[in-house]
Amino acid sequence: GVYNVSQDGFTNDKSPVKTYIEDGQILLWEDGTVIGKVDGDKFSWTSKGGYTYIGTISIDLKTIIYHLSVEGGNETDVVLTLIE
């Protein structure tokens, strides 16, 4: 679906979010980037570029919340809200 992106208290652009099955894993993608391997209502991922995502997905899929850490110490919280 398409989600509104809120980061650091500000709502930014809309972002497409999808899931794919790859190598027997369910992967969560936001705007063309893997943000997590899904396990129930939780997900996590560390990219080759040093980005670490840890989050949860609401049961109704309307809200996805994750914490993003970047090498070097930058961190942010992101809330994705489904546009209906």
Side-chain angles (χ1 to χ4, degrees), residues 11-78:
T11 299
N12 300 322
D13 291 333
K14 299 171 185 159
S15 183
V17 176
K18 299 179 181 182
T19 57
Y20 292 94
I21 296 176
E22 188 174 296
D23 296 329
Q25 303 176 85
I26 299 171
L27 299 180
L28 181 64
W29 292 68
E30 179 193 357
D31 200 22
T33 301
V34 177
I35 64 169
K37 179 178 83 167
V38 178
D39 183 12
D41 66 342
K42 298 181 183 353
F43 64 91
S44 62
W45 189 258
T46 300
S47 73
K48 291 178 183 174
Y51 293 82
T52 300
Y53 304 83
I54 298 173
T56 59
I57 305 166
S58 66
I59 292 172
D60 60 7
L61 305 177
K62 291 183 179 183
T63 307
I64 300 170
I65 300 170
Y66 65 87
H67 183 80
L68 171 60
S69 301
V70 181
E71 264 184 24
N74 293 329
E75 297 185 20
T76 189
D77 292 311
V78 178

